[in-house]
Amino acid sequence: MKLLELGYVVANPTLHNEPFDLIIKDPESSETFYVQVKTVRYVDSERHGGLWAVVDGNSSGRVYSLQEVQKFVAVDGDDIYMFDNREISEYWVRPADMSTKWEKL
């Protein structure tokens, strides 16, 4: 709903088994992207120096390719972020840096 509110055209391919959840068209650039929607989870790790916000970049251990997914939309409660797929299995960011590292919608 947030994407629609911001003027994106949103298509939901519910009738097809695709690696992406949505197809969106950017209201400013008119570019179209395949998007995977993920929930932010938090990891508090001594090994990694404290608290991190983490988004999975994979499905059952298989990393999403750029041909399958160009953008991730990360849902953190009422906050929504978007960032590019870098073809890695997890995206880690400090909670205080989420709005600067990821685009807050």
Side-chain angles (χ1 to χ4, degrees):
M1 293 306 299
K2 184 68 170 182
L3 291 166
L4 290 171
E5 289 172 13
L6 293 171
Y8 286 85
V9 174
V10 178
N12 183 343
T14 56
L15 298 177
H16 301 279
N17 186 17
E18 297 290 343
F20 54 87
D21 293 323
L22 303 172
I23 302 167
I24 64 170
K25 182 177 178 183
D26 187 292
E28 293 178 16
S29 69
S30 294
E31 289 182 275
T32 301
F33 302 101
Y34 295 139
V35 174
Q36 179 59 229
V37 179
K38 295 287 190 176
T39 301
V40 175
R41 63 184 165 88
Y42 288 89
V43 175
D44 193 0
S45 169
E46 271 188 54
R47 179 177 162 218
H48 294 101
L51 187 64
W52 292 84
V54 181
V55 171
D56 291 327
N58 68 85
S59 176
S60 302
R62 192 183 64 73
V63 173
Y64 293 103
S65 73
L66 281 171
Q67 290 73 34
E68 296 171 318
V69 172
Q70 289 85 48
K71 302 267 186 190
F72 286 95
V73 168
V75 179
D76 183 30
D78 291 335
D79 294 326
I80 309 294
Y81 300 88
M82 187 161 41
F83 56 91
D84 292 333
N85 180 4
R86 297 191 339 256
E87 296 183 312
I88 58 177
S89 62
E90 293 179 325
Y91 297 84
W92 289 52
V93 65
R94 296 280 186 191
D97 296 333
M98 288 169 72
S99 293
T100 55
K101 301 276 184 174
W102 301 342
E103 178 186 359
K104 187 172 183 180
L105 302 178

